[in-house]
Amino acid sequence: MAPVAAVGASKAATKMLATYQAETGRRMQSQSAYRSYATQVSVYNASVRIRGVAATDKIIARPGTSEHQTGWAIDVSALPSNCSLSTCFANTHQGKWLSANAWRFGFLLRYPANKVAVTGYSFEPWHYRFVGPYLTTEMRRTGFTTLEEFFRLPAAPSY
Ligand SMILES: [Zn+2]
């Protein structure tokens, strides 16, 4: 069962996807949202078998550290599927719209292309983190694009 806080994120995500369809006539979908610890273990281990630990740590959170386990993160993909979970998603109509509009619904592009050294993650144009519209509005006003920089936290540690 997802954490209680995820209810707000879920409603905001539903509204964001519905608004996209209403405003553009196109569609997008949730590819992945809440993940249990056990699911994160299987996702992480499957990648390690293919890529090894070093490459996996750049793209998949170790079990216990994934934002998906909080229920506040969503991976969005185009519908029909196009560039799912790939950096080319950024150039799709859906990816561009999210980049420009997700803040309206309280979602933050969590791992921007130019902030890999700050977040510790590769660019993930499909991964959005719910932080609420008050925070996204304030981050937009002040020009911050990562939680680490907004809260003056050190860059993400390596494992
Ligand atoms: Zn994700």
Side-chain angles (χ1 to χ4, degrees), residues 28-159:
M28 56 184 161
Q29 64 186 335
S30 168
Q31 179 89 17
S32 179
Y34 171 70
R35 267 181 233 148
S36 68
Y37 182 86
T39 300
Q40 191 67 22
V41 167
S42 73
V43 168
Y44 182 85
N45 287 345
S47 176
V48 166
R49 281 193 293 275
I50 296 166
R51 302 177 180 90
V53 171
T56 294
D57 280 342
K58 290 193 173 95
I59 57 171
I60 297 174
R62 289 192 177 181
T65 70
S66 172
E67 291 191 338
H68 286 281
Q69 289 180 241
T70 68
W72 288 329
I74 183 171
D75 293 339
V76 182
S77 64
L79 195 64
S81 185
N82 180 21
C83 287
S84 296
L85 307 180
S86 300
T87 53
C88 63
F89 178 70
N91 299 319
T92 64
H93 191 275
Q94 288 81 354
K96 289 177 185 171
W97 189 90
L98 282 172
S99 177
N101 293 284
W103 71 273
R104 293 162 52 195
F105 307 91
F107 281 91
L108 176 70
L109 173 67
R110 186 63 181 93
Y111 306 122
N114 63 345
K115 298 292 180 178
V116 174
V118 174
T119 65
Y121 278 86
S122 300
F123 180 38
E124 293 193 358
W126 60 86
H127 181 104
Y128 281 81
R129 158 81 182 269
F130 184 74
V131 297
Y134 296 109
L135 184 51
T136 54
T137 300
E138 183 62 8
M139 289 179 75
R140 192 173 152 84
R141 187 185 70 77
T142 55
F144 288 100
T145 58
T146 67
L147 295 175
E148 288 81 0
E149 292 169 310
F150 183 82
F151 290 112
R152 294 185 167 77
L153 300 169
S158 57
Y159 286 108

Side-chain angles (χ1 to χ4, degrees), residues 15-26 97:
K15 185 175 180 188
M16 182 166 70
L17 301 187
T19 300
Y20 174 70
Q21 186 169 354
E23 291 183 358
T24 71
R26 298 175 188 232
W97 189 90

